[in-house]
C-alpha cells in the first residue's frame, strides 16, 4: 500500500511469513526543494446545478407510475397463467354465472310486477281524483247555468218595461205644474 503526503513519501512493504505474522518495512524520502515550492494541486469540484423541487417531484411520480405499470403487468401475466392452470374452476364459475342470471331474471320479473301494481294503483287513484274534480266542475257549471238563466229572465223583464225618456218626463212635470196652477214648491 502506498500513501503520499505533501512533503514526504512513505512506502510500506509488508512481508508475510509462514506463521501469518507480518513485518513492516517503511522508508521515508524527503522530496526535493522544487516540489516544496510548488503549491499543492487541488482538484476543482464542479457542482451540479440544483434542480427545482417540482422537477424532482415529477421525476418521482413518473418513476412510481412506471413501477405501478410493471407491477400490474406482472400481476396480469400471473393471473393469466393461474387461470390456465385452474380449468375445473372455470366450470364452477359458469354454473355460478347461470344461477346468477336465473336469480336476476326472477328478481327483474318480481320488480316488474311490483312496478305494474304500483302504477295501476296510482292510475286508479288519479282517475278517482279526476272524477271527483269533474263532479265538482259539473256542479259549478250547473250553478252558473241557472244563474245565467235567471239573468236572462231579469233582462227580458226589464226589456218588457218601458222607461220614460227625458223629454217625456219633462212634459209630465210641465203638465203637473200647469194643473195645480202654480209652480211646484222647490225645496
Amino acid at each position: 500500500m502506498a500513501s503520499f503526503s505533501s512533503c514526504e513519501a512513505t512506502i510500506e512493504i509488508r512481508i508475510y511469513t509462514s506463521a501469518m505474522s507480518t513485518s513492516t518495512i517503511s522508508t521515508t524520502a524527503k522530496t526535493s526543494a522544487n516540489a516544496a515550492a510548488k503549491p499543492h494541486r487541488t482538484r476543482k469540484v464542479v457542482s451540479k446545478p440544483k434542480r427545482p423541487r417540482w422537477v424532482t417531484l415529477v421525476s418521482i411520480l413518473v418513476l412510481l407510475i412506471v413501477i405501478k405499470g410493471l407491477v400490474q403487468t406482472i400481476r396480469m401475466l400471473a393471473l393469466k397463467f393461474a387461470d390456465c392452470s385452474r380449468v375445473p374452476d372455470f366450470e364452477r364459475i359458469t354454473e355460478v354465472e347461470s344461477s346468477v342470471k336465473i336469480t336476476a331474471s326472477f328478481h327483474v320479473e318480481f320488480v316488474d310486477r311490483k312496478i305494474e301494481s304500483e302504477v295501476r294503483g296510482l292510475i286508479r287513484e288519479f282517475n278517482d281524483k279526476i272524477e271527483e274534480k269533474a263532479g265538482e266542475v259539473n256542479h259549478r257549471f250547473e250553478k252558473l247555468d241557472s244563474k245565467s238563466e235567471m239573468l236572462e229572465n231579469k233582462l227580458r223583464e226589464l226589456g218588457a218595461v218601458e222607461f220614460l225618456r227625458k223629454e217625456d218626463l219633462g212634459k209630465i212635470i210641465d203638465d203637473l205644474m200647469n194643473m195645480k196652477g202654480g209652480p211646484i214648491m222647490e225645496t
Side-chain angles (χ1 to χ4, degrees), residues 34 47 77 109 111 140 165 171 187:
N34 288 341
S47 64
L77 289 173
E109 288 175 12
V111 169
R140 288 184 181 175
R165 291 185 288 174
K171 284 183 187 178
T187 55

Side-chain angles (χ1 to χ4, degrees), residues 34-167:
N34 288 341
K38 284 186 179 179
H40 184 60
R41 231 182 215 188
T42 59
R43 190 172 175 189
K44 282 189 178 179
V45 178
V46 179
S47 64
K48 292 182 181 178
K50 274 196 165 184
R51 294 191 323 186
R53 272 193 185 209
W54 67 271
V55 172
T56 306
L57 288 176
V58 168
S59 300
I60 291 170
L61 286 175
V62 168
L63 182 64
L64 288 175
I65 291 171
V66 168
I67 290 172
K68 185 177 180 183
L70 288 173
V71 168
Q72 285 180 348
T73 305
I74 291 170
R75 181 186 288 164
M76 292 168 90
L77 289 173
L79 288 176
K80 281 184 182 178
F81 289 122
D83 286 344
C84 291
S85 66
R86 295 184 188 173
V87 174
D89 288 343
F90 184 73
E91 293 171 359
R92 175 72 178 139
I93 291 171
T94 55
E95 289 174 9
V96 170
E97 281 180 349
S98 64
S99 66
V100 166
K101 286 179 184 177
I102 292 170
T103 305
S105 66
F106 286 138
H107 184 69
V108 167
E109 288 175 12
F110 174 75
V111 169
D112 192 33
R113 282 189 227 131
K114 184 146 182 130
I115 289 172
E116 284 179 11
S117 66
E118 289 292 325
V119 168
R120 284 186 195 131
L122 288 173
I123 289 173
R124 266 187 260 119
E125 192 176 308
F126 191 66
N127 284 338
D128 292 343
K129 285 183 181 181
I130 288 174
E131 288 175 8
E132 182 181 316
K133 293 292 181 181
E136 289 177 15
V137 168
N138 284 337
H139 182 68
R140 288 184 181 175
F141 277 136
E142 289 172 359
K143 280 184 179 180
L144 279 172
D145 197 28
S146 66
K147 285 183 181 180
S148 66
E149 286 178 11
M150 278 187 356
L151 284 175
E152 286 178 6
N153 291 337
K154 298 263 181 178
L155 283 175
R156 276 190 218 123
E157 289 175 10
L158 281 175
V161 176
E162 285 189 29
F163 292 103
L164 294 175
R165 291 185 288 174
K166 189 175 181 181
E167 299 165 352

